[in-house]
Amino acid sequence: MQFFIDSADVGEIQKALAMGLCDGVTTNPSLVARTGRKFSEVLKEITALVPGPVSAEVTAVDHAGMMKEARALAKVADNVVVKVPLIVEGLRAVRSLAAEGIRTNVTLCFSPVQALLAAKAGATYVSPFVGRLDDVSEDGMAMVSQIVEIYRSYDFATKVLVASVRHPVHVLEAARLGADVATIPFAVIGQLANHPLTEIGLKKFLADWEKVPKE
Ligand code: E4P
């Protein structure tokens, strides 16, 4: 499973790259707003830093507007993937963009049938939002499981990119289900490495090492 980092913060992305845990990046308007920087500057910097795909989202909600924004975003760098919302106009745009050879990430997916539509439109990635579904007492990972099942049954080329990841168990479940990618907030990447027994064990080894006679 590939690890993308769900962030528009260049510092976080650099740290994830140094850890070898950044196969790509996903951004969204809220993440960009959090940086307080211009989107064009941030996107140029991230696409130059990261060799893998970098998702950048359109904000238009009509086909013509999406196409205009998508073409401009795709010109920024070869590794840009255009993020399009899962609405009817968005699906139309995905189809048109696929015909132009522009890769897409269909975002805000909350059901397996929505994911089926994204695949039929020719999306490169679909982003099921597991955390936000859990927040409303639904089962985000059950949705991912059904999407994986449907995509495998029909051999769709669209990749399942698990999004709205909130904690390490989401990452574990995404990997167990055979999702292609999980896009993970930087804080959660840190949590994945931590285990209290590792910490206790290391402390004990270092303390015992102090007792070993040195040359
Ligand atoms: C995905 O591409 C989105 O940027 C992201 O995963 C949304 O996560 P959130 O629900 O934590 O905002």
Side-chain angles (χ1 to χ4, degrees):
M1 184 173 75
Q2 288 196 309
F3 274 37
F4 286 5
I5 175 161
D6 198 25
S7 176
D9 181 319
V10 173
E12 287 185 351
I13 293 166
Q14 278 168 326
K15 285 183 200 156
L17 278 168
M19 290 161 82
L21 294 174
C22 181
D23 300 311
V25 173
T26 51
T27 67
N28 66 39
S30 308
L31 292 170
V32 175
R34 222 175 281 168
T35 68
R37 301 180 57 200
K38 279 191 189 161
F39 183 35
S40 54
E41 284 175 12
V42 173
L43 185 60
K44 262 187 212 140
E45 237 174 275
I46 297 175
T47 50
L49 263 178
V50 179
V54 176
S55 288
E57 192 157 340
V58 297
T59 52
V61 289
D62 64 296
H63 178 264
M66 285 183 195
M67 291 303 292
K68 192 171 165 216
E69 283 184 35
R71 289 182 186 123
L73 289 171
K75 274 194 194 126
V76 173
D78 286 347
N79 54 343
V80 166
V81 172
V82 178
K83 228 171 164 184
V84 176
L86 209 162
I87 55 177
V88 171
E89 288 293 281
L91 294 170
R92 278 187 61 207
V94 166
R95 179 166 298 284
S96 309
L97 292 167
E100 293 184 18
I102 295 175
R103 293 183 295 167
T104 53
N105 173 359
V106 176
T107 189
L108 293 167
C109 172
F110 292 97
S111 80
V113 283
Q114 283 186 313
L116 176 58
L117 297 188
K120 287 182 75 66
T124 315
Y125 297 95
V126 69
S127 289
F129 276 39
V130 295
R132 293 193 195 187
L133 213 47
D134 291 354
D135 288 344
V136 294
S137 305
E138 290 195 41
D139 187 343
M141 279 302 162
M143 164 181 60
V144 173
S145 168
Q146 289 182 42
I147 295 170
V148 170
E149 180 191 345
I150 293 166
Y151 280 15
R152 300 246 160 96
S153 300
Y154 294 97
D155 235 359
F156 282 120
T158 304
K159 290 190 161 76
V160 181
L161 194 169
V162 176
S164 189
V165 164
R166 300 278 168 78
H167 49 69
V169 178
H170 279 151
V171 180
L172 170 68
E173 289 301 315
R176 291 188 68 195
L177 291 169
D180 300 286
V181 189
T183 188
I184 311 171
F186 186 70
V188 176
I189 291 181
Q191 289 177 311
L192 290 173
N194 293 339
H195 196 288
L197 290 180
T198 305
E199 214 172 295
I200 292 166
L202 182 60
K203 242 186 215 161
K204 174 88 171 92
F205 282 157
L206 294 179
D208 287 344
W209 183 246
E210 287 305 311
K211 298 174 201 156
V212 176
K214 311 289 184 312
E215 285 168 41

